Amino acid sequence: MRKRIGILTYRGEVGFVEPGFLRRLVKEGNGMGADVFVFGPQDVQFSKRRIKGFIPAEKGWKSEWFDWPDIVIDRYRYYPLAKHSRYLPFRKQNWFRYANSRFTNKFNLHQILQVDPLLTRWLPETFAYSRSTLVSMLARHRLVYLKPTNGSGGRSILRVEKTEEGYLLHGRTKQQAKSSEKLPSIAKVCERLEAWMEREKNGREDFFLQQGLQLSLVPGRTVDARVLVQKDGKGIWGLTGMGIRIGSTRSSTSNLHGGGTAMAAIPFLVNRFGQEEARRIVLECKELVVQTVARIEQHFGQMMEFGFDLGIDVHGRVWIIEINPKPGREIFRQLGELRRYLQAVRRPLEYALYLIEQDAQRKDQSFG
């Protein structure tokens, strides 16, 4: 009998976010012998144990009724906004067998990782925003970033750079518009940051401060590494791929959404650091990712994939910038690595099917 896999996401009046990826997910799942459909919290009829699921049509999507899924992949990207108010109460019901546990925001995650002595060497200084914290951080660091706890795609991040003439601010708004200005005093910087937070926050969102890193491996550009780590069809973590992202000129981040470009990791690192050092950096990235996902699962329970944004500074030191539990995989398409991209799409489905199989075996044993 065909297995049913539901993909939980936000469904608004104009449809789904990331529709291209969701279409690909449904198509690949069908090819693997499963019935895959996409749905939002509003599509579930609990009393009848059925779901109005969506599948790709020639143009857009078509809906049909599906029986209860064997497993659900949670792909919902939550922000503390009114339109997302259904998600948390819905997710806490635990009506389904989920392939991935609920997660937390970026600042809370940092607090959790910070208490693990194995991970602290990879974590930049990170604190909740306050004027006094900003002043003390700028006394220690030439660069400080202001970040939203729930942001993605490099949006609403502001970089503060201390110069001999004052302070340079570079940012990117929710709408991806670049913002840039010079300010003469720390008092003006605090005023500007507080106005930015008020304008840029999503609902009740908070902001935090993070130590800026010397990530200009390409002069005048922000550079980082995106590492995708996923569980496979046997439930084992593995690195699916790694790529380098180079930000556009005068951009405060390297995100591809904001005009950044992708490069293959090994040639880029060998060119910048030499063969031996590049090998060491890649091995350290792998070690970091494996240790971090183990710590995350200890705290949150079963997870299935993460996108790690890692900073590699001009001295070759590796840092954790961000960890995303619902990562994109567009970097592999940009690199022309279509086989790797398809593997990245298929991995969550393989893992979901593995979990269904494990559940069936447990049932058989308990009845046997």
Side-chain angles (χ1 to χ4, degrees):
M1 202 169 101
R2 286 171 73 88
K3 310 299 184 211
R4 279 185 304 278
I5 301 174
I7 312 291
L8 172 64
T9 187
Y10 171 70
R11 183 172 72 78
E13 287 172 18
V14 293
F16 299 108
V17 276
E18 52 176 16
F21 170 64
L22 294 172
R23 291 174 82 89
R24 175 63 74 176
L25 209 52
V26 173
K27 184 184 170 197
E28 291 299 316
N30 292 343
M32 293 159 73
D35 289 329
V36 183
F37 59 90
V38 184
F39 71 100
Q42 71 270 41
D43 299 319
V44 178
Q45 284 193 348
F46 184 69
S47 58
K48 294 182 179 175
R49 287 183 74 79
R50 65 177 192 168
I51 296 175
K52 185 168 83 172
F54 289 78
I55 55 175
E58 215 169 297
K59 287 183 180 172
W61 298 80
K62 62 179 182 182
S63 66
E64 55 186 72
W65 291 104
F66 286 87
D67 290 334
W68 221 237
D70 295 296
I71 201 157
V72 170
I73 294 171
D74 183 350
R75 189 69 196 173
Y76 198 116
R77 288 178 172 173
Y78 169 78
Y79 295 92
L81 292 168
K83 68 179 183 179
H84 295 303
S85 60
R86 286 179 172 172
Y87 170 72
L88 289 178
F90 177 87
R91 189 64 170 82
K92 286 173 184 170
Q93 298 289 338
N94 273 334
W95 284 341
F96 307 112
R97 166 77 152 111
Y98 283 99
N100 47 337
S101 304
R102 284 197 305 123
F103 202 51
T104 188
N105 69 45
K106 293 170 187 179
F107 184 67
N108 289 345
L109 177 63
H110 187 276
Q111 308 299 94
I112 290 157
L113 299 182
Q114 201 170 246
V115 298
D116 188 329
L118 288 174
L119 304 181
T120 47
R121 65 186 165 127
W122 293 309
L123 297 169
E125 270 187 32
T126 304
F127 300 102
Y129 173 82
S130 75
R131 287 193 171 200
S132 58
T133 304
L134 179 65
V135 170
S136 66
M137 285 184 78
L138 281 169
R140 289 190 300 279
H141 308 293
R142 187 174 66 82
L143 280 179
V144 173
Y145 280 83
L146 177 76
K147 295 183 170 186
T149 50
N150 292 78
S152 68
R155 295 175 182 87
S156 305
I157 293 174
L158 199 56
R159 184 178 76 180
V160 183
E161 183 178 353
K162 185 170 62 176
T163 68
E164 287 177 9
E165 295 82 41
Y167 300 88
L168 276 179
L169 271 59
H170 288 292
R172 197 178 281 283
T173 68
K174 278 186 227 179
Q175 285 75 36
Q176 293 288 12
K178 286 185 186 177
S179 167
S180 194
E181 62 188 309
K182 286 182 183 176
L183 294 170
S185 68
I186 193 73
K188 291 281 184 202
V189 171
C190 290
E191 282 174 26
R192 185 73 189 88
L193 263 59
E194 283 155 22
W196 176 272
M197 287 187 282
E198 196 53 45
R199 196 186 73 219
E200 289 291 315
K201 70 180 178 182
N202 276 318
R204 301 181 307 281
E205 186 169 53
D206 292 318
F207 280 72
F208 62 93
L209 296 166
Q210 192 167 73
Q211 166 193 349
L213 308 168
Q214 303 296 328
L215 301 179
S216 50
L217 297 181
V218 175
R221 308 284 186 100
T222 301
V223 178
D224 68 13
R226 162 55 70 97
V227 178
L228 182 63
V229 58
Q230 298 175 297
K231 281 185 179 167
D232 63 14
K234 293 178 181 165
I236 297 163
W237 285 107
L239 255 66
T240 304
M242 177 177 179
I244 297 291
R245 303 186 305 180
I246 302 168
S248 56
T249 38
R250 307 203 65 72
S251 172
S252 53
T253 67
S254 65
N255 293 76
L256 303 179
H257 293 294
T261 53
M263 285 191 71
I266 305 285
F268 177 86
L269 292 171
V270 168
N271 187 43
R272 181 63 177 73
F273 292 104
Q275 194 87 38
E276 204 51 45
E277 181 70 349
R279 191 169 167 274
R280 181 200 64 76
I281 289 168
V282 170
L283 287 173
E284 187 175 345
C285 290
K286 287 181 179 175
E287 180 196 352
L288 172 164
V289 163
V290 167
Q291 290 191 15
T292 306
V293 293
R295 180 75 189 94
I296 288 172
E297 284 201 303
Q298 274 177 5
H299 194 277
F300 293 98
Q302 167 188 294
M303 306 302 283
M304 67 188 300
E305 63 176 354
F306 289 100
F308 277 72
D309 293 347
L310 303 179
I312 300 161
D313 70 19
V314 290
H315 309 293
R317 185 172 172 184
V318 181
W319 300 85
I320 297 174
I321 301 173
E322 266 180 27
I323 303 172
N324 184 345
K326 290 155 189 174
R329 45 219 85 200
E330 280 306 301
I331 190 165
F332 303 123
R333 287 230 294 217
Q334 283 218 6
L335 289 170
E337 297 181 6
L338 295 184
R339 279 179 63 183
R340 202 183 293 271
Y341 172 76
L342 277 179
Q343 184 188 39
V345 173
R346 290 170 66 92
R347 278 271 154 89
L349 298 161
E350 290 167 359
Y351 179 56
L353 289 168
Y354 160 80
L355 290 177
I356 295 170
E357 190 60 39
Q358 294 292 103
D359 290 349
Q361 284 176 17
R362 271 194 292 273
K363 268 185 193 163
D364 287 349
Q365 284 165 4
S366 62
F367 284 126

